[in-house]
Amino acid sequence: MRIGKISQTAPSDSEKPGDDIVGNNTYHPGTTDIEYDELHVPCPPHTTERKLITRIDWQLIPFLCILYLLAFLDRVNIANARSFHLVEDLHLKDNEYNTALTMFFVPYIVAEIPSNIFLKRFSPRVWLPTCMLGFGIASVCQGLVQNYSGLLATRFFLGLFESGMFPGCFYLISMWYKRNESQKRYSLFFSSTSLAGAFGGLLASAIGKMEGIRGYNGWRWIFILEGCLTCAVAIVFFFIFPSFPEEAKWLTEEERAYIKARLQADQGHNAAERKITLRDVATVMKDHRVWLGGFMYFGLIVPAYGYAYFAPTIISTYRYDAIQTQLHSVPPWVASFGFSLLTAALSDWLRHRAAFALAPLGLGIAAFATLLKIHNNTPVQYAMLCLVTMGTYSVLPITVCWFSMNLGGHHRRAIGTAWQIGFGNIGGIIATFSFLSKDAPYFSNGYSICLGFTCLSGLASALYLVSIYLENQRRKKAVRDVGLSDYEKTELGDLNPEFRYMY
């Protein structure tokens, strides 16, 4: 494989690459019997791009989906546990349940950027299973607490160990796939939250029947059994969990070089070998687009966690008993799973993100507006809950993917992704106090808050689209050769004048 002179300009993602210039690099064929991918990067002679990507999919995505499914399950199963006398057994008063939910987000928000730094330092194979084992133990301990203070402590440690899961997994995916390949993988990974919600309801309806076994109410068994499952999987993952392409022992040296070359052609150099410093953090945070990315996610997190934590509470107001409430919590999650995969497939097929980050928000806005007005028609209210999950959970992975893949280089992507998720999860604190018991059964305040923050996300996404469009136009008109070395281009990442943002 020979890599030619670096191109002076690069096409936008919406433009078809020509024969000479591809992404940020120019590649010249070596021999006619070598197969080239769409970026004109020569594939290893013993395989094809499609076969290699399929191998990567099977080596990466299932592990990340299982990890995040269990993380989200342990995070929100407290909502299911509430239906089985958690509040009564722990003698929670007033808003103490909501405060316990909030406690999760304190370390979760603060520790996300440090967690991504540790991820890069220790490798995903070590760091992510370690965190997984930690939040599995914390989940088991939730089932053993005897009072409010114990619940607060376990929720704190649960948030601490889960802080690196979401940005770490997104970051890892971004280091394996090109930008136009990533959305299906992101959405499949993120859709594990919908599966967690669905399985959580089914599991809770079954585990809840263990009421009284060994003197424990059903809510304790929900925490204990689901936490033990997480711990068991974490121990297995220590031996088989994937890592960065540079560390993948199941790839040959030739295949690793090809993966690196195709990502370089698509995204530029990534500076994988350099450690992240505080100066890197400060530099990334000076970019206004990084702040817009945070608000894009922040606005969606309020309705996302508002539903995840309070769906059983809302559904119980439709006059269902505890078991029926858990079962009726499943269909909205299933609807969001199917819709998320559909929008992701269309987004990758069209190689476009902006429309799919904005259009589905209309479903959520319409649903919340309807729930504010209709209070005595259960079928309509229940249908609106399905639209809430479809309009919220389908947009979340697209928003993160769009933002993450527009950050060039290891350090900018690691910091920027952790920032977006960390700042965005401040919305989780707002969500925990949006649906209060005193507002039942109509929850007008909660629906109004979710409606407002959904609109905020839409506004931030629109501003981000305008910003990257104007920047792309400016770079097209700018001086073509500014004399940057390869090292300087690596350090600049997406600030490199040759980089083009994806719409």
Side-chain angles (χ1 to χ4, degrees), residues 79-80 82-84 197 200-202 204-205 307 310-333 382:
N80 304 110
R82 187 183 187 185
S83 300
F84 295 96
L202 291 173
S205 65
Y307 182 83
F310 296 100
T313 302
I314 294 170
I315 294 172
S316 68
T317 64
Y318 302 159
R319 297 183 178 87
Y320 298 122
D321 61 27
I323 300 298
Q324 286 296 315
T325 293
Q326 304 306 319
L327 293 175
H328 278 84
S329 71
V330 174
W333 289 114
Y382 189 71

PDB file of all heavy atoms in Angstrom, residues 79-80 82-84 197 200-202 204-205 307 310-333 382:
ATOM      1  N   ALA A  79     -37.044   2.194  38.901  1.00  0.00           N
ATOM      2  CA  ALA A  79     -38.414   2.568  38.541  1.00  0.00           C
ATOM      3  C   ALA A  79     -39.340   1.360  38.645  1.00  0.00           C
ATOM      4  O   ALA A  79     -40.490   1.477  39.109  1.00  0.00           O
ATOM      5  CB  ALA A  79     -38.442   3.139  37.126  1.00  0.00           C
ATOM      6  N   ASN A  80     -38.847   0.185  38.223  1.00  0.00           N
ATOM      7  CA  ASN A  80     -39.636  -1.041  38.361  1.00  0.00           C
ATOM      8  C   ASN A  80     -39.757  -1.454  39.825  1.00  0.00           C
ATOM      9  O   ASN A  80     -40.815  -1.898  40.277  1.00  0.00           O
ATOM     10  CB  ASN A  80     -39.002  -2.167  37.556  1.00  0.00           C
ATOM     11  CG  ASN A  80     -38.819  -1.827  36.094  1.00  0.00           C
ATOM     12  OD1 ASN A  80     -37.699  -1.642  35.638  1.00  0.00           O
ATOM     13  ND2 ASN A  80     -39.900  -1.729  35.339  1.00  0.00           N
ATOM     14  N   ARG A  82     -39.858   0.388  42.370  1.00  0.00           N
ATOM     15  CA  ARG A  82     -40.787   1.257  43.105  1.00  0.00           C
ATOM     16  C   ARG A  82     -42.189   0.670  43.152  1.00  0.00           C
ATOM     17  O   ARG A  82     -42.929   0.899  44.123  1.00  0.00           O
ATOM     18  CB  ARG A  82     -40.818   2.641  42.454  1.00  0.00           C
ATOM     19  CG  ARG A  82     -41.615   3.670  43.244  1.00  0.00           C
ATOM     20  CD  ARG A  82     -41.685   4.995  42.523  1.00  0.00           C
ATOM     21  NE  ARG A  82     -42.300   6.027  43.339  1.00  0.00           N
ATOM     22  CZ  ARG A  82     -42.566   7.259  42.918  1.00  0.00           C
ATOM     23  NH1 ARG A  82     -42.261   7.609  41.673  1.00  0.00           N
ATOM     24  NH2 ARG A  82     -43.135   8.132  43.732  1.00  0.00           N
ATOM     25  N   SER A  83     -42.550  -0.081  42.135  1.00  0.00           N
ATOM     26  CA  SER A  83     -43.897  -0.670  42.090  1.00  0.00           C
ATOM     27  C   SER A  83     -44.061  -1.818  43.078  1.00  0.00           C
ATOM     28  O   SER A  83     -45.183  -2.278  43.304  1.00  0.00           O
ATOM     29  CB  SER A  83     -44.198  -1.177  40.671  1.00  0.00           C
ATOM     30  OG  SER A  83     -44.136  -0.134  39.717  1.00  0.00           O
ATOM     31  N   PHE A  84     -42.948  -2.283  43.661  1.00  0.00           N
ATOM     32  CA  PHE A  84     -42.996  -3.427  44.576  1.00  0.00           C
ATOM     33  C   PHE A  84     -42.560  -3.037  45.987  1.00  0.00           C
ATOM     34  O   PHE A  84     -41.762  -3.724  46.616  1.00  0.00           O
ATOM     35  CB  PHE A  84     -42.134  -4.567  44.023  1.00  0.00           C
ATOM     36  CG  PHE A  84     -42.641  -5.136  42.726  1.00  0.00           C
ATOM     37  CD1 PHE A  84     -42.132  -4.697  41.512  1.00  0.00           C
ATOM     38  CD2 PHE A  84     -43.643  -6.093  42.713  1.00  0.00           C
ATOM     39  CE1 PHE A  84     -42.602  -5.212  40.320  1.00  0.00           C
ATOM     40  CE2 PHE A  84     -44.120  -6.611  41.519  1.00  0.00           C
ATOM     41  CZ  PHE A  84     -43.602  -6.173  40.322  1.00  0.00           C
ATOM     42  N   GLY A 197     -35.154  -1.427  28.693  1.00  0.00           N
ATOM     43  CA  GLY A 197     -36.450  -1.020  29.231  1.00  0.00           C
ATOM     44  C   GLY A 197     -37.497  -2.104  29.069  1.00  0.00           C
ATOM     45  O   GLY A 197     -38.289  -2.363  29.987  1.00  0.00           O
ATOM     46  N   GLY A 200     -36.499  -5.033  31.226  1.00  0.00           N
ATOM     47  CA  GLY A 200     -36.672  -4.638  32.616  1.00  0.00           C
ATOM     48  C   GLY A 200     -38.100  -4.817  33.083  1.00  0.00           C
ATOM     49  O   GLY A 200     -38.353  -5.305  34.196  1.00  0.00           O
ATOM     50  N   GLY A 201     -39.050  -4.429  32.204  1.00  0.00           N
ATOM     51  CA  GLY A 201     -40.446  -4.611  32.559  1.00  0.00           C
ATOM     52  C   GLY A 201     -40.831  -6.077  32.649  1.00  0.00           C
ATOM     53  O   GLY A 201     -41.549  -6.485  33.574  1.00  0.00           O
ATOM     54  N   LEU A 202     -40.355  -6.879  31.694  1.00  0.00           N
ATOM     55  CA  LEU A 202     -40.673  -8.311  31.717  1.00  0.00           C
ATOM     56  C   LEU A 202     -40.038  -8.999  32.928  1.00  0.00           C
ATOM     57  O   LEU A 202     -40.685  -9.812  33.607  1.00  0.00           O
ATOM     58  CB  LEU A 202     -40.181  -8.967  30.427  1.00  0.00           C
ATOM     59  CG  LEU A 202     -40.920  -8.580  29.137  1.00  0.00           C
ATOM     60  CD1 LEU A 202     -40.220  -9.171  27.921  1.00  0.00           C
ATOM     61  CD2 LEU A 202     -42.371  -9.045  29.185  1.00  0.00           C
ATOM     62  N   ALA A 204     -39.089  -7.611  35.742  1.00  0.00           N
ATOM     63  CA  ALA A 204     -39.707  -7.137  36.979  1.00  0.00           C
ATOM     64  C   ALA A 204     -41.051  -7.813  37.224  1.00  0.00           C
ATOM     65  O   ALA A 204     -41.406  -8.126  38.367  1.00  0.00           O
ATOM     66  CB  ALA A 204     -39.878  -5.619  36.936  1.00  0.00           C
ATOM     67  N   SER A 205     -41.803  -8.056  36.147  1.00  0.00           N
ATOM     68  CA  SER A 205     -43.098  -8.717  36.317  1.00  0.00           C
ATOM     69  C   SER A 205     -42.921 -10.146  36.807  1.00  0.00           C
ATOM     70  O   SER A 205     -43.774 -10.684  37.524  1.00  0.00           O
ATOM     71  CB  SER A 205     -43.877  -8.703  34.995  1.00  0.00           C
ATOM     72  OG  SER A 205     -43.222  -9.480  34.006  1.00  0.00           O
ATOM     73  N   TYR A 307     -38.975   9.689  31.027  1.00  0.00           N
ATOM     74  CA  TYR A 307     -39.758   8.485  30.727  1.00  0.00           C
ATOM     75  C   TYR A 307     -39.155   7.253  31.386  1.00  0.00           C
ATOM     76  O   TYR A 307     -39.876   6.434  31.977  1.00  0.00           O
ATOM     77  CB  TYR A 307     -39.846   8.264  29.216  1.00  0.00           C
ATOM     78  CG  TYR A 307     -40.687   7.054  28.881  1.00  0.00           C
ATOM     79  CD1 TYR A 307     -42.072   7.146  28.824  1.00  0.00           C
ATOM     80  CD2 TYR A 307     -40.101   5.804  28.680  1.00  0.00           C
ATOM     81  CE1 TYR A 307     -42.852   6.034  28.574  1.00  0.00           C
ATOM     82  CE2 TYR A 307     -40.877   4.688  28.427  1.00  0.00           C
ATOM     83  CZ  TYR A 307     -42.253   4.804  28.377  1.00  0.00           C
ATOM     84  OH  TYR A 307     -43.026   3.698  28.146  1.00  0.00           O
ATOM     85  N   PHE A 310     -39.885   7.206  35.176  1.00  0.00           N
ATOM     86  CA  PHE A 310     -41.254   7.381  35.670  1.00  0.00           C
ATOM     87  C   PHE A 310     -42.318   6.699  34.810  1.00  0.00           C
ATOM     88  O   PHE A 310     -43.515   6.865  35.076  1.00  0.00           O
ATOM     89  CB  PHE A 310     -41.570   8.876  35.806  1.00  0.00           C
ATOM     90  CG  PHE A 310     -40.720   9.570  36.826  1.00  0.00           C
ATOM     91  CD1 PHE A 310     -39.624  10.319  36.441  1.00  0.00           C
ATOM     92  CD2 PHE A 310     -40.988   9.433  38.180  1.00  0.00           C
ATOM     93  CE1 PHE A 310     -38.821  10.953  37.380  1.00  0.00           C
ATOM     94  CE2 PHE A 310     -40.196  10.060  39.136  1.00  0.00           C
ATOM     95  CZ  PHE A 310     -39.104  10.818  38.734  1.00  0.00           C
ATOM     96  N   ALA A 311     -41.898   5.933  33.800  1.00  0.00           N
ATOM     97  CA  ALA A 311     -42.895   5.232  32.982  1.00  0.00           C
ATOM     98  C   ALA A 311     -43.807   4.336  33.816  1.00  0.00           C
ATOM     99  O   ALA A 311     -45.044   4.399  33.656  1.00  0.00           O
ATOM    100  CB  ALA A 311     -42.203   4.432  31.881  1.00  0.00           C
ATOM    101  N   PRO A 312     -43.270   3.488  34.709  1.00  0.00           N
ATOM    102  CA  PRO A 312     -44.188   2.671  35.523  1.00  0.00           C
ATOM    103  C   PRO A 312     -45.122   3.515  36.396  1.00  0.00           C
ATOM    104  O   PRO A 312     -46.292   3.143  36.580  1.00  0.00           O
ATOM    105  CB  PRO A 312     -43.235   1.835  36.395  1.00  0.00           C
ATOM    106  CG  PRO A 312     -41.964   1.771  35.604  1.00  0.00           C
ATOM    107  CD  PRO A 312     -41.857   3.116  34.957  1.00  0.00           C
ATOM    108  N   THR A 313     -44.596   4.630  36.911  1.00  0.00           N
ATOM    109  CA  THR A 313     -45.441   5.517  37.727  1.00  0.00           C
ATOM    110  C   THR A 313     -46.567   6.109  36.888  1.00  0.00           C
ATOM    111  O   THR A 313     -47.727   6.165  37.325  1.00  0.00           O
ATOM    112  CB  THR A 313     -44.590   6.645  38.330  1.00  0.00           C
ATOM    113  OG1 THR A 313     -43.541   6.079  39.121  1.00  0.00           O
ATOM    114  CG2 THR A 313     -45.439   7.562  39.197  1.00  0.00           C
ATOM    115  N   ILE A 314     -46.244   6.569  35.673  1.00  0.00           N
ATOM    116  CA  ILE A 314     -47.254   7.147  34.784  1.00  0.00           C
ATOM    117  C   ILE A 314     -48.273   6.090  34.370  1.00  0.00           C
ATOM    118  O   ILE A 314     -49.487   6.313  34.425  1.00  0.00           O
ATOM    119  CB  ILE A 314     -46.575   7.763  33.542  1.00  0.00           C
ATOM    120  CG1 ILE A 314     -45.713   8.956  33.946  1.00  0.00           C
ATOM    121  CG2 ILE A 314     -47.629   8.182  32.513  1.00  0.00           C
ATOM    122  CD1 ILE A 314     -44.824   9.468  32.823  1.00  0.00           C
ATOM    123  N   ILE A 315     -47.777   4.925  33.965  1.00  0.00           N
ATOM    124  CA  ILE A 315     -48.673   3.867  33.493  1.00  0.00           C
ATOM    125  C   ILE A 315     -49.572   3.360  34.621  1.00  0.00           C
ATOM    126  O   ILE A 315     -50.726   2.975  34.383  1.00  0.00           O
ATOM    127  CB  ILE A 315     -47.855   2.730  32.873  1.00  0.00           C
ATOM    128  CG1 ILE A 315     -47.165   3.230  31.592  1.00  0.00           C
ATOM    129  CG2 ILE A 315     -48.725   1.523  32.543  1.00  0.00           C
ATOM    130  CD1 ILE A 315     -46.187   2.253  30.987  1.00  0.00           C
ATOM    131  N   SER A 316     -49.079   3.369  35.846  1.00  0.00           N
ATOM    132  CA  SER A 316     -49.898   2.907  36.977  1.00  0.00           C
ATOM    133  C   SER A 316     -51.113   3.788  37.206  1.00  0.00           C
ATOM    134  O   SER A 316     -52.117   3.329  37.763  1.00  0.00           O
ATOM    135  CB  SER A 316     -49.056   2.846  38.259  1.00  0.00           C
ATOM    136  OG  SER A 316     -48.693   4.148  38.688  1.00  0.00           O
ATOM    137  N   THR A 317     -51.055   5.052  36.744  1.00  0.00           N
ATOM    138  CA  THR A 317     -52.218   5.943  36.881  1.00  0.00           C
ATOM    139  C   THR A 317     -53.331   5.567  35.913  1.00  0.00           C
ATOM    140  O   THR A 317     -54.431   6.111  35.994  1.00  0.00           O
ATOM    141  CB  THR A 317     -51.827   7.418  36.650  1.00  0.00           C
ATOM    142  OG1 THR A 317     -51.373   7.598  35.294  1.00  0.00           O
ATOM    143  CG2 THR A 317     -50.726   7.841  37.607  1.00  0.00           C
ATOM    144  N   TYR A 318     -53.050   4.639  34.990  1.00  0.00           N
ATOM    145  CA  TYR A 318     -54.083   4.146  34.065  1.00  0.00           C
ATOM    146  C   TYR A 318     -54.847   2.971  34.676  1.00  0.00           C
ATOM    147  O   TYR A 318     -55.503   2.209  33.972  1.00  0.00           O
ATOM    148  CB  TYR A 318     -53.446   3.716  32.740  1.00  0.00           C
ATOM    149  CG  TYR A 318     -52.679   4.804  32.030  1.00  0.00           C
ATOM    150  CD1 TYR A 318     -51.715   4.493  31.077  1.00  0.00           C
ATOM    151  CD2 TYR A 318     -52.896   6.155  32.303  1.00  0.00           C
ATOM    152  CE1 TYR A 318     -50.998   5.479  30.406  1.00  0.00           C
ATOM    153  CE2 TYR A 318     -52.186   7.145  31.643  1.00  0.00           C
ATOM    154  CZ  TYR A 318     -51.237   6.808  30.712  1.00  0.00           C
ATOM    155  OH  TYR A 318     -50.522   7.790  30.059  1.00  0.00           O
ATOM    156  N   ARG A 319     -54.710   2.821  35.996  1.00  0.00           N
ATOM    157  CA  ARG A 319     -55.460   1.835  36.803  1.00  0.00           C
ATOM    158  C   ARG A 319     -55.022   0.393  36.541  1.00  0.00           C
ATOM    159  O   ARG A 319     -55.842  -0.521  36.473  1.00  0.00           O
ATOM    160  CB  ARG A 319     -56.968   1.992  36.581  1.00  0.00           C
ATOM    161  CG  ARG A 319     -57.503   3.349  37.036  1.00  0.00           C
ATOM    162  CD  ARG A 319     -59.020   3.434  36.869  1.00  0.00           C
ATOM    163  NE  ARG A 319     -59.524   4.691  37.350  1.00  0.00           N
ATOM    164  CZ  ARG A 319     -59.591   5.808  36.619  1.00  0.00           C
ATOM    165  NH1 ARG A 319     -59.165   5.790  35.365  1.00  0.00           N
ATOM    166  NH2 ARG A 319     -60.076   6.911  37.132  1.00  0.00           N
ATOM    167  N   TYR A 320     -53.720   0.172  36.391  1.00  0.00           N
ATOM    168  CA  TYR A 320     -53.175  -1.176  36.291  1.00  0.00           C
ATOM    169  C   TYR A 320     -52.546  -1.563  37.625  1.00  0.00           C
ATOM    170  O   TYR A 320     -52.046  -0.709  38.357  1.00  0.00           O
ATOM    171  CB  TYR A 320     -52.103  -1.256  35.197  1.00  0.00           C
ATOM    172  CG  TYR A 320     -52.604  -0.955  33.806  1.00  0.00           C
ATOM    173  CD1 TYR A 320     -52.044   0.071  33.050  1.00  0.00           C
ATOM    174  CD2 TYR A 320     -53.626  -1.714  33.228  1.00  0.00           C
ATOM    175  CE1 TYR A 320     -52.495   0.351  31.764  1.00  0.00           C
ATOM    176  CE2 TYR A 320     -54.076  -1.442  31.945  1.00  0.00           C
ATOM    177  CZ  TYR A 320     -53.505  -0.412  31.218  1.00  0.00           C
ATOM    178  OH  TYR A 320     -53.953  -0.142  29.945  1.00  0.00           O
ATOM    179  N   ASP A 321     -52.550  -2.869  37.945  1.00  0.00           N
ATOM    180  CA  ASP A 321     -51.864  -3.306  39.157  1.00  0.00           C
ATOM    181  C   ASP A 321     -50.364  -3.384  38.876  1.00  0.00           C
ATOM    182  O   ASP A 321     -49.904  -3.093  37.766  1.00  0.00           O
ATOM    183  CB  ASP A 321     -52.399  -4.652  39.652  1.00  0.00           C
ATOM    184  CG  ASP A 321     -52.221  -5.785  38.637  1.00  0.00           C
ATOM    185  OD1 ASP A 321     -51.283  -5.712  37.814  1.00  0.00           O
ATOM    186  OD2 ASP A 321     -53.016  -6.744  38.669  1.00  0.00           O
ATOM    187  N   ALA A 322     -49.570  -3.800  39.874  1.00  0.00           N
ATOM    188  CA  ALA A 322     -48.108  -3.764  39.749  1.00  0.00           C
ATOM    189  C   ALA A 322     -47.608  -4.615  38.586  1.00  0.00           C
ATOM    190  O   ALA A 322     -46.759  -4.173  37.791  1.00  0.00           O
ATOM    191  CB  ALA A 322     -47.465  -4.217  41.058  1.00  0.00           C
ATOM    192  N   ILE A 323     -48.120  -5.839  38.457  1.00  0.00           N
ATOM    193  CA  ILE A 323     -47.655  -6.724  37.394  1.00  0.00           C
ATOM    194  C   ILE A 323     -48.084  -6.203  36.026  1.00  0.00           C
ATOM    195  O   ILE A 323     -47.289  -6.170  35.074  1.00  0.00           O
ATOM    196  CB  ILE A 323     -48.180  -8.162  37.610  1.00  0.00           C
ATOM    197  CG1 ILE A 323     -47.683  -8.730  38.947  1.00  0.00           C
ATOM    198  CG2 ILE A 323     -47.752  -9.058  36.451  1.00  0.00           C
ATOM    199  CD1 ILE A 323     -46.179  -8.857  39.035  1.00  0.00           C
ATOM    200  N   GLN A 324     -49.335  -5.778  35.899  1.00  0.00           N
ATOM    201  CA  GLN A 324     -49.822  -5.240  34.630  1.00  0.00           C
ATOM    202  C   GLN A 324     -49.083  -3.957  34.242  1.00  0.00           C
ATOM    203  O   GLN A 324     -48.832  -3.699  33.056  1.00  0.00           O
ATOM    204  CB  GLN A 324     -51.329  -4.967  34.721  1.00  0.00           C
ATOM    205  CG  GLN A 324     -52.183  -6.220  34.695  1.00  0.00           C
ATOM    206  CD  GLN A 324     -52.051  -6.971  33.379  1.00  0.00           C
ATOM    207  OE1 GLN A 324     -52.088  -6.383  32.302  1.00  0.00           O
ATOM    208  NE2 GLN A 324     -51.880  -8.285  33.463  1.00  0.00           N
ATOM    209  N   THR A 325     -48.707  -3.168  35.225  1.00  0.00           N
ATOM    210  CA  THR A 325     -47.938  -1.954  34.951  1.00  0.00           C
ATOM    211  C   THR A 325     -46.614  -2.296  34.302  1.00  0.00           C
ATOM    212  O   THR A 325     -46.195  -1.672  33.318  1.00  0.00           O
ATOM    213  CB  THR A 325     -47.702  -1.157  36.251  1.00  0.00           C
ATOM    214  OG1 THR A 325     -48.948  -0.657  36.736  1.00  0.00           O
ATOM    215  CG2 THR A 325     -46.754   0.008  36.011  1.00  0.00           C
ATOM    216  N   GLN A 326     -45.930  -3.317  34.837  1.00  0.00           N
ATOM    217  CA  GLN A 326     -44.640  -3.719  34.267  1.00  0.00           C
ATOM    218  C   GLN A 326     -44.820  -4.236  32.840  1.00  0.00           C
ATOM    219  O   GLN A 326     -44.025  -3.913  31.951  1.00  0.00           O
ATOM    220  CB  GLN A 326     -43.992  -4.812  35.130  1.00  0.00           C
ATOM    221  CG  GLN A 326     -43.792  -4.443  36.584  1.00  0.00           C
ATOM    222  CD  GLN A 326     -43.031  -3.156  36.765  1.00  0.00           C
ATOM    223  OE1 GLN A 326     -42.066  -2.884  36.061  1.00  0.00           O
ATOM    224  NE2 GLN A 326     -43.474  -2.341  37.705  1.00  0.00           N
ATOM    225  N   LEU A 327     -45.845  -5.015  32.604  1.00  0.00           N
ATOM    226  CA  LEU A 327     -46.073  -5.564  31.264  1.00  0.00           C
ATOM    227  C   LEU A 327     -46.435  -4.476  30.259  1.00  0.00           C
ATOM    228  O   LEU A 327     -46.002  -4.521  29.098  1.00  0.00           O
ATOM    229  CB  LEU A 327     -47.171  -6.630  31.324  1.00  0.00           C
ATOM    230  CG  LEU A 327     -46.821  -7.904  32.110  1.00  0.00           C
ATOM    231  CD1 LEU A 327     -48.032  -8.824  32.195  1.00  0.00           C
ATOM    232  CD2 LEU A 327     -45.644  -8.632  31.459  1.00  0.00           C
ATOM    233  N   HIS A 328     -47.217  -3.490  30.698  1.00  0.00           N
ATOM    234  CA  HIS A 328     -47.600  -2.409  29.793  1.00  0.00           C
ATOM    235  C   HIS A 328     -46.453  -1.428  29.544  1.00  0.00           C
ATOM    236  O   HIS A 328     -46.562  -0.569  28.643  1.00  0.00           O
ATOM    237  CB  HIS A 328     -48.817  -1.649  30.343  1.00  0.00           C
ATOM    238  CG  HIS A 328     -50.126  -2.318  30.044  1.00  0.00           C
ATOM    239  ND1 HIS A 328     -50.640  -3.330  30.830  1.00  0.00           N
ATOM    240  CD2 HIS A 328     -51.023  -2.132  29.031  1.00  0.00           C
ATOM    241  CE1 HIS A 328     -51.800  -3.734  30.334  1.00  0.00           C
ATOM    242  NE2 HIS A 328     -52.053  -3.042  29.240  1.00  0.00           N
ATOM    243  N   SER A 329     -45.380  -1.536  30.320  1.00  0.00           N
ATOM    244  CA  SER A 329     -44.228  -0.673  30.069  1.00  0.00           C
ATOM    245  C   SER A 329     -43.371  -1.182  28.916  1.00  0.00           C
ATOM    246  O   SER A 329     -42.498  -0.470  28.415  1.00  0.00           O
ATOM    247  CB  SER A 329     -43.361  -0.559  31.337  1.00  0.00           C
ATOM    248  OG  SER A 329     -42.686  -1.778  31.604  1.00  0.00           O
ATOM    249  N   VAL A 330     -43.628  -2.403  28.447  1.00  0.00           N
ATOM    250  CA  VAL A 330     -42.789  -3.014  27.415  1.00  0.00           C
ATOM    251  C   VAL A 330     -43.053  -2.466  26.010  1.00  0.00           C
ATOM    252  O   VAL A 330     -42.097  -2.102  25.298  1.00  0.00           O
ATOM    253  CB  VAL A 330     -42.949  -4.550  27.440  1.00  0.00           C
ATOM    254  CG1 VAL A 330     -42.201  -5.196  26.281  1.00  0.00           C
ATOM    255  CG2 VAL A 330     -42.472  -5.111  28.776  1.00  0.00           C
ATOM    256  N   PRO A 331     -44.311  -2.407  25.503  1.00  0.00           N
ATOM    257  CA  PRO A 331     -44.541  -1.997  24.111  1.00  0.00           C
ATOM    258  C   PRO A 331     -43.932  -0.651  23.709  1.00  0.00           C
ATOM    259  O   PRO A 331     -43.386  -0.557  22.592  1.00  0.00           O
ATOM    260  CB  PRO A 331     -46.077  -1.981  24.005  1.00  0.00           C
ATOM    261  CG  PRO A 331     -46.508  -3.027  24.986  1.00  0.00           C
ATOM    262  CD  PRO A 331     -45.579  -2.871  26.144  1.00  0.00           C
ATOM    263  N   PRO A 332     -43.992   0.414  24.534  1.00  0.00           N
ATOM    264  CA  PRO A 332     -43.339   1.659  24.101  1.00  0.00           C
ATOM    265  C   PRO A 332     -41.842   1.495  23.853  1.00  0.00           C
ATOM    266  O   PRO A 332     -41.294   2.099  22.912  1.00  0.00           O
ATOM    267  CB  PRO A 332     -43.614   2.624  25.265  1.00  0.00           C
ATOM    268  CG  PRO A 332     -44.869   2.113  25.890  1.00  0.00           C
ATOM    269  CD  PRO A 332     -44.765   0.629  25.793  1.00  0.00           C
ATOM    270  N   TRP A 333     -41.173   0.666  24.660  1.00  0.00           N
ATOM    271  CA  TRP A 333     -39.748   0.433  24.444  1.00  0.00           C
ATOM    272  C   TRP A 333     -39.518  -0.347  23.144  1.00  0.00           C
ATOM    273  O   TRP A 333     -38.561  -0.071  22.403  1.00  0.00           O
ATOM    274  CB  TRP A 333     -39.158  -0.343  25.620  1.00  0.00           C
ATOM    275  CG  TRP A 333     -39.025   0.418  26.892  1.00  0.00           C
ATOM    276  CD1 TRP A 333     -39.696   0.202  28.057  1.00  0.00           C
ATOM    277  CD2 TRP A 333     -38.152   1.524  27.147  1.00  0.00           C
ATOM    278  NE1 TRP A 333     -39.311   1.104  29.025  1.00  0.00           N
ATOM    279  CE2 TRP A 333     -38.355   1.921  28.485  1.00  0.00           C
ATOM    280  CE3 TRP A 333     -37.214   2.212  26.378  1.00  0.00           C
ATOM    281  CZ2 TRP A 333     -37.661   2.978  29.069  1.00  0.00           C
ATOM    282  CZ3 TRP A 333     -36.525   3.268  26.949  1.00  0.00           C
ATOM    283  CH2 TRP A 333     -36.748   3.642  28.277  1.00  0.00           C
ATOM    284  N   TYR A 382     -51.737   6.199  26.106  1.00  0.00           N
ATOM    285  CA  TYR A 382     -50.757   5.123  25.974  1.00  0.00           C
ATOM    286  C   TYR A 382     -50.052   5.196  24.620  1.00  0.00           C
ATOM    287  O   TYR A 382     -48.830   4.987  24.533  1.00  0.00           O
ATOM    288  CB  TYR A 382     -51.449   3.772  26.141  1.00  0.00           C
ATOM    289  CG  TYR A 382     -50.509   2.602  26.226  1.00  0.00           C
ATOM    290  CD1 TYR A 382     -49.711   2.397  27.353  1.00  0.00           C
ATOM    291  CD2 TYR A 382     -50.417   1.681  25.178  1.00  0.00           C
ATOM    292  CE1 TYR A 382     -48.842   1.319  27.425  1.00  0.00           C
ATOM    293  CE2 TYR A 382     -49.552   0.608  25.247  1.00  0.00           C
ATOM    294  CZ  TYR A 382     -48.777   0.420  26.372  1.00  0.00           C
ATOM    295  OH  TYR A 382     -47.913  -0.644  26.447  1.00  0.00           O
TER     296      TYR A 382
END
